[in-house]
Amino acid sequence: MTTRHEPKIALGTWAWGDTPTGQVFGNYLTAADLKPVVDGAMAAGLTLWDTAYAYGSGESESKLGALLKDYPRDSYQLSTKFTPQMAAGDSDHEVADMLAGSLKRLNTDFIDIYWIHNPADVEKWTPQLIPLVKSGKIKRVGVSNHNLAQIKRANEILGEAGIQISAVQNHFSLLYRSSEEAGIIDYCREHDITFFAYMVLEQGLLSGRYDVDHPLPADSMRGNIYNAVLPQVSALTAGLREIGATQNASAAEVATAYAIAKGTTPIIGVTKAKYIPSEAKAMALNLSVTDIAKLEALAQAANVDTKGSWEAPMD
Ligand SMILES: NC(=O)c1ccc[n+]([C@@H]2O[C@H](COP(=O)([O-])OP(=O)(O)OC[C@H]3O[C@@H](n4cnc5c(N)ncnc54)[C@H](OP(=O)(O)O)[C@@H]3O)[C@@H](O)[C@H]2O)c1
């Protein structure tokens, strides 16, 4: 087994890619808004940052790179992605080309974890990672949104060059457990692969901050998707709050602790400095078997399908 020194929670920056006109989250964030987020996180030891060229076509990477500029490179870890649908052409250096842009925007000469964002073409894109690992531009390789067969196939391709996948990044939350049901989380545990769970809070739906009277921003992609199901999840958010109250924790902290208890490393989308102590709190929470069973029953009763439009089923 490899011993990896990585935080129990990674921080996600998809929302940082929103521009005044391109609204996935509906809360446009400037560098001035985000500076206290980065400084607070770094001070709290939350040093693993997940981004992608796809988040605002480099907007998220640029903001992150600028805000981390004054920190020593060995004090934080960067995770960014190759998105096949954004490749400029069809050559054998598309991954290298997209990585080059990310390195520039992030002010660095290496990425700690580089991902193939989705399994658009495992045979075509996976081998392009090999020279990038060999040259040291990528320290660890990950695959995202891949099902078990695709993870195994990517590992086989890399294995021929003596490289192993060391991270998987899939959607996982109380409302979306497909990677657990498909055996992917178990497979990762058995093969020394860190399973990174994204959208653990379902973009705010499970944060406890939103309800029928206080919906998510209407003019955003997340509002369009999640506002319709707010009535269905109210019992679940009440359950999260109730369990949290016994440990002086919020609904968001309990939902995050749930993902940790299931053996994953959550990537929490961080938009406000006040959330940083909350991530630290989530890492320290203890959920009992009874708490977990109760939350899973409430989630099942909510009967909502939160599969992202970009995701394929995992089975
Ligand atoms: N590989 C992929 O295909 C993929 C897909 C999706 C996401 N991701 C990665 O995973 C990350 C996480 O996903 P996400 O950002 O979409 O959604 P998320 O983590 O489920 O939710 C983020 C939202 O939850 C709220 N929040 C965060 N911390 C909170 C706290 N402590 N207390 C209360 N509310 C809190 C914030 O809402 P407000 O801003 O409204 O306060 C924030 O915008 C992304 O940023 C990205 O890095 C990867």
Side-chain angles (χ1 to χ4, degrees):
M1 283 298 233
T2 320
T3 310
R4 295 194 192 103
H5 299 287
E6 55 189 22
K8 266 196 201 173
I9 292 180
L11 298 178
T13 64
W14 187 8
W16 303 19
D18 268 15
T19 61
T21 49
Q23 301 280 303
V24 178
F25 287 79
N27 46 358
Y28 171 59
L29 299 164
T30 64
D33 297 325
L34 293 168
K35 184 167 169 37
V37 175
V38 169
D39 293 342
M42 292 295 289
L46 293 161
T47 55
L48 174 47
W49 298 92
D50 183 70
T51 182
Y53 169 51
Y55 303 161
S57 300
E59 185 70 25
S60 165
E61 288 181 331
S62 296
K63 283 178 183 154
L64 181 61
L67 289 165
L68 287 171
K69 211 170 179 174
D70 294 335
Y71 289 92
R73 181 61 184 89
D74 62 357
S75 65
Y76 58 87
Q77 302 83 45
L78 293 171
S79 148
T80 191
K81 314 181 185 86
F82 169 79
T83 307
Q85 293 76 4
M86 295 178 82
D90 205 17
S91 70
D92 59 2
H93 52 80
E94 296 301 327
V95 179
D97 290 350
M98 199 175 290
L99 173 67
S102 296
L103 292 173
K104 201 166 173 206
R105 285 182 291 275
L106 289 163
N107 300 308
T108 183
D109 52 10
F110 70 93
I111 299 298
D112 298 273
I113 314 178
Y114 198 65
W115 308 82
I116 301 287
H117 208 156
N118 59 59
D121 191 337
V122 174
E123 302 300 321
K124 179 172 168 180
W125 302 116
T126 314
Q128 292 197 21
L129 292 167
I130 295 167
L132 303 171
V133 174
K134 295 209 158 150
S135 69
K137 288 184 178 169
I138 299 175
K139 300 297 175 204
R140 291 171 60 185
V141 166
V143 292
S144 182
N145 297 304
H146 285 48
N147 67 24
L148 190 52
Q150 291 160 337
I151 294 167
K152 288 180 179 171
R153 180 62 193 134
N155 228 356
E156 244 170 43
I157 295 170
L158 295 167
E160 283 166 24
I163 297 163
Q164 289 290 300
I165 287 173
S166 82
V168 162
Q169 175 174 163
N170 284 353
H171 186 175
F172 178 78
S173 74
L174 267 161
L175 291 172
Y176 198 73
R177 294 168 54 199
S178 63
S179 286
E180 181 186 7
E181 288 148 9
I184 295 174
I185 295 180
D186 282 344
Y187 177 84
C188 288
R189 188 181 305 113
E190 287 154 12
H191 290 83
D192 196 22
I193 296 171
T194 308
F195 182 97
F196 286 88
Y198 75 68
M199 280 169 45
V200 162
L201 301 180
E202 294 292 347
Q203 300 200 326
L205 179 72
L206 298 183
S207 68
R209 296 185 61 229
Y210 298 105
D211 57 34
V212 178
D213 298 322
H214 309 92
L216 290 116
D219 54 350
S220 66
M221 186 179 102
R222 63 176 176 155
N224 291 336
I225 292 167
Y226 290 115
N227 281 341
V229 299
L230 281 168
Q232 277 165 267
V233 300
S234 61
L236 172 58
T237 44
L240 286 165
R241 253 189 235 107
E242 212 175 281
I243 288 171
T246 64
Q247 297 186 61
N248 197 23
S250 70
E253 289 156 13
V254 176
T256 305
Y258 168 79
I260 297 173
K262 298 295 277 195
T264 79
T265 299
I267 307 174
I268 304 297
V270 71
T271 51
K272 298 175 179 72
K274 69 175 181 190
Y275 293 158
I276 300 297
S278 193
E279 315 310 351
K281 176 86 196 228
M283 291 193 268
L285 283 185
N286 273 317
L287 299 185
S288 67
V289 174
T290 315
D291 293 336
I292 290 174
K294 183 181 171 187
L295 291 172
E296 288 180 344
L298 287 167
Q300 200 168 4
N303 194 27
V304 294
D305 181 3
T306 57
K307 181 168 77 60
S309 55
W310 59 90
E311 295 173 37
M314 280 299 139
D315 43 23

